[in-house]
Amino acid sequence: MKRFFSSLALLFATLSVWSQAQEPSICPVVEDDYGPRVNALLMDKLQQIAAPEGTPVVDDSETFYLSAQLTTIEKQQTMGAPSRMAARVLISLSVYSLKNAPLDDESLHFETQNERTLFASYSKELTGLGADEEQARADAIRKFSTSSREVLSFIRQGRERIMSYKRTWR
């Protein structure tokens, strides 16, 4: 009986590793410095989107990334007391790879986009309120839904294109 359960556990472990090898691993990264609060919120959202993988698995010389960029479209002080900052923010997500990229923070800061292979992108405009611009950006990020139909479609499209890319070029 003990041997049976050991064999069953080994089978499940093997199937788990095999199924993970079928799905591309996507490593969430925040490439720019938007301030500690905003960076932490962005990383949390990216990890929610990248699940169930969550951690990078390096296969050969290629790793796949999920990154977010924030662009403040407009900001203005609100009237009344207390005065608050309103910011319209564009959140742009992308799934890409870097050939021969080591896994360190330095490798993610390229001056040109030419080194990247883009698999999917998605953008959403949100408005946030806060005492300053960083808090307004943080409020906008909190409003960003990682389980929306558009975000789920974006990450699914990225994974499908990665799998197609791997089948074609390997």
Side-chain angles (χ1 to χ4, degrees), residues 11-46:
L11 175 66
F12 281 124
T14 304
L15 288 175
S16 173
V17 169
W18 180 78
S19 68
Q20 287 177 355
Q22 301 303 309
E23 280 287 317
S25 294
I26 299 174
C27 179
V29 294
V30 177
E31 296 182 38
D32 294 322
D33 186 14
Y34 301 107
R37 179 182 303 132
V38 173
N39 282 1
L41 284 169
L42 266 179
M43 181 56 82
D44 182 52
K45 294 290 184 173
L46 292 175

Side-chain angles (χ1 to χ4, degrees), residues 8-142:
L8 191 60
L10 181 62
L11 175 66
F12 281 124
T14 304
L15 288 175
S16 173
V17 169
W18 180 78
S19 68
Q20 287 177 355
Q22 301 303 309
E23 280 287 317
S25 294
I26 299 174
C27 179
V29 294
V30 177
E31 296 182 38
D32 294 322
D33 186 14
Y34 301 107
R37 179 182 303 132
V38 173
N39 282 1
L41 284 169
L42 266 179
M43 181 56 82
D44 182 52
K45 294 290 184 173
L46 292 175
Q47 288 172 340
Q48 291 173 26
I49 295 168
E53 288 78 28
T55 56
V57 174
V58 179
D59 57 339
D60 298 331
S61 61
E62 192 159 27
T63 302
F64 301 97
Y65 298 95
L66 168 64
S67 72
Q69 290 189 324
L70 295 179
T71 305
T72 302
I73 298 170
E74 178 184 13
K75 59 184 177 182
Q76 60 185 17
Q77 290 289 114
T78 60
M79 298 295 185
S83 179
R84 300 183 45 95
M85 176 70 71
R88 277 187 28 221
V89 177
L90 181 68
I91 299 176
S92 301
L93 304 177
S94 59
V95 174
Y96 62 91
S97 70
L98 299 173
K99 281 299 227 181
N100 302 316
L103 287 176
D104 63 18
D105 291 338
E106 302 284 322
S107 68
L108 299 176
H109 298 282
F110 285 95
E111 294 180 19
T112 175
Q113 297 288 320
N114 293 336
E115 289 93 356
R116 298 178 182 199
T117 301
L118 181 66
F119 295 99
S121 63
Y122 171 76
S123 296
K124 173 90 174 171
E125 188 177 310
L126 297 166
T127 303
L129 288 172
D132 56 25
E133 185 178 355
E134 183 181 4
Q135 288 183 8
R137 284 179 162 192
D139 184 53
I141 293 167
R142 277 189 216 96

